[in-house]
Amino acid sequence: MHELHATLLALLFAAGKPLTLEDFAKLGHPEDTLLRSLESLAAKLSSGDTGVSLEYVARGWRLVVHPRHLAAVEQVLRPTPPKLSKAALEVLAIVAYHQPLTRAEIEALRGKSAEGVLDGLVERELVRVVGEKDAVGKPKLYGTTERFLITFGLQSLDDLPAMEEGPTLLLRS
């Protein structure tokens, strides 16, 4: 089990993105063995003694800075969160809570044009075309991406705050 922990840790470090159980399955170990090992590794890292912890996000696992060491990392590296305008956050929240929907539907909910903003979100890979609406002209349907989940630290869309709390809570991440 110790060797498997080391291998999983090396993969997580090298990947720089969440790895799914399917990714780890390429190692040839049974799924239950991999899950037990990931849980055990997460428990070992939870103390913060290594400076990192294991986080489950976007249907995968990734290494993150342990909360105990965030201040030091911020002091030295000064990481900057992705800068999104108020308009981009509005459109992103509309898409996240109402997907899939067309540009016209986004604009109707927002009350103003979303063309440039939506294009920017697609370019940043936070939103993508997920299909076409069965209507005249076959307008594109938009939805959020895995990068959206990763950026905002969500395991799935089910982790979004309830609507009555307001979509602006996406700013908390």
Side-chain angles (χ1 to χ4, degrees), residues 13-172:
F13 178 77
K17 66 174 188 163
L19 294 175
T20 64
L21 198 53
E22 291 78 30
D23 294 325
F24 292 120
K26 294 174 186 173
L27 295 171
H29 295 280
E31 188 175 296
D32 61 326
T33 301
L34 290 168
L35 282 172
R36 276 195 316 274
S37 192
L38 284 163
E39 289 168 1
S40 173
L41 183 58
K44 280 185 177 182
L45 297 175
S46 69
S47 70
D49 292 342
T50 61
V52 296
S53 58
L54 193 56
E55 176 181 67
Y56 184 76
V57 63
R59 297 174 304 283
W61 290 266
R62 70 176 176 180
L63 287 177
V64 295
V65 174
H66 190 279
R68 195 169 98 192
H69 303 283
L70 278 176
V73 169
E74 288 173 356
Q75 183 179 357
V76 174
L77 300 179
R78 300 203 190 283
T80 55
K83 300 232 187 288
L84 293 173
S85 67
K86 182 179 176 193
L89 285 170
E90 286 175 3
V91 171
L92 188 56
I94 289 168
V95 173
Y97 281 92
H98 301 284
Q99 63 187 301
L101 70 171
T102 65
R103 182 184 312 257
E105 292 166 335
I106 294 167
E107 291 172 347
L109 285 167
R110 185 169 180 238
K112 55 178 105 169
S113 175
E115 187 172 351
V117 176
L118 189 56
D119 292 342
L121 291 170
V122 169
E123 188 176 304
R124 291 181 124 175
E125 298 177 358
L126 295 171
V127 170
R128 68 183 178 97
V129 174
V130 296
E132 294 177 338
K133 188 167 187 165
D134 190 19
V136 176
K138 300 274 188 199
K140 296 175 183 173
L141 289 168
Y142 293 90
T144 54
T145 63
E146 185 173 304
R147 177 171 280 186
F148 166 80
L149 295 174
I150 293 166
T151 299
F152 292 97
L154 304 170
Q155 290 182 28
S156 73
L157 293 173
D158 294 334
D159 293 335
L160 286 170
M163 273 295 266
E164 46 276 1
E165 294 179 45
T168 55
L169 289 181
L170 291 173
L171 293 168
R172 277 198 262 164

